[in-house]
Amino acid sequence: MIIRWWRAVAGSDAVLQQYAAHLERNTFAEMAELPGHLGATIAVKVGGTDNELVVTSLWSDLDAAGHFEQGAFDDAVVKPSTQKLLKSFDLKVEYFETLVTTGILDKD
């Protein structure tokens, strides 16, 4: 399994809620239709400031994770409307290959 990882800073609680709703309604719904997609999350840093967040998506393999490729394989895809919304964001995504899983991620 491949984990695609991207970080951003929402700034205010209102922006965090707006962005989370957008991900749930649009981006995550679109990803769910792609072959090899296994799930996605948005999480906010506990005890952090400015609503630091990480968006992760889970993919069956690296080829499936490449559905978002528009430039280099590790370029983040951040729409202009999202760029205006967020305080800051990474320009690159990171990919991690899982070695061992447990719990709900271990289900076949």
Side-chain angles (χ1 to χ4, degrees):
M1 178 173 58
I2 300 295
I3 300 170
R4 185 177 190 271
W5 177 280
W6 177 77
R7 296 180 67 100
V9 176
S12 71
D13 290 345
V15 169
L16 177 64
Q17 294 307 314
Q18 183 180 359
Y19 184 59
H22 163 74
L23 284 179
E24 185 177 21
R25 281 190 318 267
N26 300 300
T27 307
F28 287 178
E30 292 169 11
M31 280 196 287
E33 300 297 321
L34 296 172
H37 181 258
L38 303 174
T41 64
I42 178 174
V44 65
K45 185 174 182 178
V46 175
T49 59
D50 286 336
N51 290 310
E52 299 171 67
L53 60 94
V54 62
V55 177
T56 59
S57 54
L58 307 174
W59 301 90
S60 59
D61 55 50
L62 202 53
D63 287 337
H67 288 297
F68 285 96
E69 188 174 354
Q70 292 185 355
F73 188 70
D74 63 347
D75 283 350
V77 178
V78 187
K79 295 179 182 178
S81 58
T82 301
Q83 292 178 18
K84 292 177 188 174
L85 185 65
L86 296 172
K87 185 173 181 179
S88 66
F89 55 89
D90 289 349
L91 297 175
K92 298 288 186 179
V93 298
E94 296 181 80
Y95 293 91
F96 299 88
E97 185 173 10
T98 57
L99 299 178
V100 176
T101 59
T102 187
I104 60 171
L105 296 177
D106 194 30
K107 306 291 186 234
D108 288 324

